[in-house]
Amino acid sequence: MTRFQGKTALVTGAAGGIGAAVVRMLRAEGARVAVADRDTQAIQAEAHLPGNLLDPAYADGLPLAAAQALGGLDIVINNAGVITRGTVIDTSDADWDLSLGVNVQAPFRISRAAIPLMAKSGGGAIVNVASCWGLRPGPNHAVYCMTKAAVASLTQCMGMDHAHQGIRINAVAPNEVNTPMLRTGFAKRGFDPDTAVAELGKTVPLGRIAEPEDIADVILFLASDAARYLCGTVVEVNGGKPVK
Ligand code: NAD
């Protein structure tokens, strides 16, 4: 398929599990891609924009940097994220700043900078990565869940506000995905990641947790013309296992 021939895209969190799949699949379908992450050296892409999303000037400047490097900006995938664990009682100021900074402030800054660029060139698509845990509560991850609820809400609001400019803004809300984020969490708690992923898979009606490509396929759909009438949606991608 060449759904993205001639299109340009910025992907944050491009070195991570879901981000790497998105970059690979967008490029396989013809897109020219600018990758953003703390270290992008190992990623194959048309433009490399490494940096720390906690730096406001970096986040503010990413869309223009991508547009200049690629000759335009049609698609933004706000995928980078961090997970901090614990109830609010366990949450330090540093956890709060990190979670809000990467998960909420960065997509806000990037979207705020990307929307005028896209409007000027006739439109575009932004896809944010929320979480099932932003739609309903999850145990012992209060601030993470809150940040993902914020992303879902921001998506719904921006989707409504900018549709008239030809900019479609949507989100995916995955449940568990087999990525470094999930696996390092298991390892930190003393579980073998492979065993834990297999056990977790048994709790999913489809019989396995998601692989990054399962989520990337939906992200690409939302970024594509096939989703031309979707604005402000949050698509739950959960293998039949909604968070209760
Ligand atoms: P991951 O840890 O593999 O990738 C996240 C990427 O974001 C990393 O490459 C990391 O370097 C980057 N990043 C984090 N902080 C950054 C910063 N300050 N500056 C620049 N880059 C930074 O995780 P993933 O599972 O691929 O997560 C991608 C998205 O999916 C995240 O928003 C996450 O919250 C969301 N999500 C993941 C799961 C899951 O189970 N893995 C479930 C629901 C939602």
Side-chain angles (χ1 to χ4, degrees), residues 12-20 36-39 43 50-55 58 62 78-83 98 101-103 106 128-133 144 147-148 151 172-184 200 209-210 212 215 219 237:
T12 72
I18 295 172
D37 207 307
R38 280 177 295 218
D39 180 357
I43 312 169
N52 185 348
L53 286 170
L54 293 172
D55 173 1
Y58 170 70
L62 266 179
N78 279 311
N79 162 71
V82 291
I83 191 162
L98 176 68
V102 177
N103 295 0
N128 298 320
V129 181
S131 168
C132 287
W133 274 7
Y144 177 74
T147 63
K148 292 299 179 179
V151 170
V172 289
N175 205 335
E176 298 106 352
V177 192
N178 188 10
T179 70
M181 178 180 277
L182 188 91
R183 297 178 69 87
T184 54
L200 198 54
I209 68 164
I215 309 305
I219 293 173
V237 192

Side-chain angles (χ1 to χ4, degrees), residues 18-232:
I18 295 172
V22 168
V23 171
R24 197 171 57 247
M25 290 161 66
L26 278 173
R27 294 183 75 240
E29 293 203 44
R32 302 179 62 246
V33 180
V35 290
D37 207 307
R38 280 177 295 218
D39 180 357
T40 65
Q41 283 181 72
I43 312 169
Q44 288 193 338
E46 281 62 40
H48 290 256
L49 303 170
N52 185 348
L53 286 170
L54 293 172
D55 173 1
Y58 170 70
D60 287 340
L62 266 179
L64 183 60
Q68 286 175 339
L70 301 173
L73 186 61
D74 302 302
I75 294 164
V76 170
I77 314 295
N78 279 311
N79 162 71
V82 291
I83 191 162
T84 51
R85 294 168 207 285
T87 67
V88 286
I89 307 302
D90 309 316
T91 302
S92 66
D93 285 2
D95 285 345
W96 171 269
D97 290 344
L98 176 68
S99 302
L100 270 287
V102 177
N103 295 0
V104 183
Q105 203 179 131
F108 153 71
R109 288 183 178 280
I110 291 167
S111 301
R112 185 177 63 178
I115 288 165
L117 294 177
M118 289 176 165
K120 217 169 145 186
S121 61
I126 299 177
V127 184
N128 298 320
V129 181
S131 168
C132 287
W133 274 7
L135 306 180
R136 287 171 294 278
N140 294 315
H141 288 76
V143 169
Y144 177 74
C145 295
M146 183 203 70
T147 63
K148 292 299 179 179
V151 170
S153 176
L154 194 63
T155 301
Q156 290 167 327
C157 295
M158 293 194 302
M160 184 184 285
D161 289 342
H162 299 289
H164 74 98
Q165 293 164 294
I167 304 168
R168 297 183 305 95
I169 304 172
N170 295 289
V172 289
N175 205 335
E176 298 106 352
V177 192
N178 188 10
T179 70
M181 178 180 277
L182 188 91
R183 297 178 69 87
T184 54
F186 283 134
K188 269 186 204 155
R189 283 174 282 154
F191 301 114
D192 169 56
D194 285 337
T195 309
V197 163
E199 284 301 312
L200 198 54
K202 294 178 188 163
T203 68
V204 181
L206 268 185
R208 60 175 179 83
I209 68 164
E211 292 299 323
E213 291 75 12
D214 297 320
I215 309 305
D217 263 328
V218 183
I219 293 173
L220 264 66
F221 163 70
L222 290 172
S224 78
D225 286 344
R228 61 193 169 275
Y229 207 67
L230 292 186
C231 300

